[in-house]
Amino acid sequence: MAMDGLYISGYFSDDDKLMLDNYADELHSKNVSFYVRNLSDTIMQSAFDFADFELIAVAYEVLQQFILNGGYDVTKYFFKKLWWNITKNRESNIPFTISIEGIPTANGSETIKCKTQGQLSDEQKEKVLDKTFSLASQIEKHQYQLMEKNQYYAALSGHLFRYDLSDEELHEIDIVAEVKKKSEEK
């Protein structure tokens, strides 16, 4: 799906309807499309490390509009608020994903998916957002070289990164190596 707005995915209850409607109204007033995938009552069988269940996805162009129109700090606040509403601040084995789609490069548009796991403090979430937004900008400006696309790229719809709490950096995941490691563990 071509991204033209803001997309979230998570486990939402009927109690979340008003909150989601408020987001939709606020974004619609700014001419930004808002899409919600509700996973409640859905049976999931997948490789949680790679799948996007709890997610905020945004078109790079829309992210730039947010930052220009509302400011960087307001944009981070909005994303943190969405993050909290999606995860309800609970500990989960499911990685939380921030996806930025349509980053312009010399080789065409790219998508990055930055995954975090565990319960992060507000400060750690801000660092993840800073690193993610910065990475997208570096890719656009040819200051970061992405790994070559492999046979899993199409299935995963982008380049996967993992936020490492020990060094507070995003590291691109070598999917081939990860799949090999997981198959050897079994």
Side-chain angles (χ1 to χ4, degrees):
M1 152 174 132
M3 192 56 121
D4 64 349
L6 187 69
Y7 175 95
I8 64 172
S9 175
Y11 298 90
F12 302 107
S13 68
D14 290 340
D15 295 335
D16 295 320
K17 184 172 177 11
L18 179 62
M19 176 259 311
L20 294 170
D21 288 345
N22 288 338
Y23 282 130
D25 291 343
E26 183 178 343
L27 291 167
H28 182 71
S29 73
K30 293 174 173 48
N31 295 320
V32 174
S33 299
F34 182 60
Y35 306 96
V36 177
R37 177 175 73 164
N38 188 354
L39 299 174
S40 294
D41 301 324
T42 303
I43 297 173
M44 295 289 172
Q45 330 178 54
S46 186
F48 286 124
D49 291 344
F50 306 125
D52 298 324
F53 296 125
E54 295 184 329
L55 161 86
I56 298 173
V58 64
Y60 187 62
E61 174 183 304
V62 173
L63 177 62
Q64 289 177 316
Q65 285 177 355
F66 277 140
I67 292 171
L68 289 174
N69 294 332
Y72 189 74
D73 289 335
V74 171
T75 301
K76 283 196 317 184
Y77 172 80
F78 182 73
F79 273 71
K80 278 190 348 188
K81 188 172 177 168
L82 273 174
W83 189 336
W84 191 91
N85 283 317
I86 292 167
T87 62
K88 305 199 179 31
N89 214 33
R90 71 187 176 297
E91 182 88 25
S92 175
N93 289 332
I94 300 170
F96 185 80
T97 306
I98 300 168
S99 177
I100 301 177
E101 302 185 13
I103 302 167
T105 72
N107 299 322
S109 295
E110 292 287 357
T111 296
I112 59 170
K113 296 180 176 211
C114 301
K115 297 183 171 292
T116 64
Q117 204 160 359
Q119 194 162 1
L120 278 62
S121 69
D122 279 349
E123 183 180 304
Q124 289 170 318
K125 288 178 182 178
E126 280 200 33
K127 285 180 184 177
V128 171
L129 290 168
D130 284 335
K131 298 284 183 180
T132 303
F133 296 167
S134 176
L135 177 62
S137 178
Q138 289 171 14
I139 290 168
E140 178 188 23
K141 294 173 183 167
H142 313 293
Q143 297 169 340
Y144 185 92
Q145 182 67 39
L146 294 165
M147 287 183 183
E148 284 191 35
K149 295 178 183 176
N150 59 42
Q151 71 264 30
Y152 300 107
Y153 181 86
L156 299 172
S157 304
H159 295 273
L160 268 56
F161 288 79
R162 183 177 295 128
Y163 184 74
D164 186 339
L165 288 170
S166 65
D167 67 1
E168 298 181 331
E169 293 293 334
L170 286 166
H171 301 281
E172 190 167 4
I173 301 171
D174 182 345
I175 302 300
V176 174
E178 289 282 324
V179 169
K180 183 178 177 184
K181 184 172 87 175
K182 293 224 182 263
S183 67
E184 289 173 354
E185 290 173 359
K186 292 183 180 197

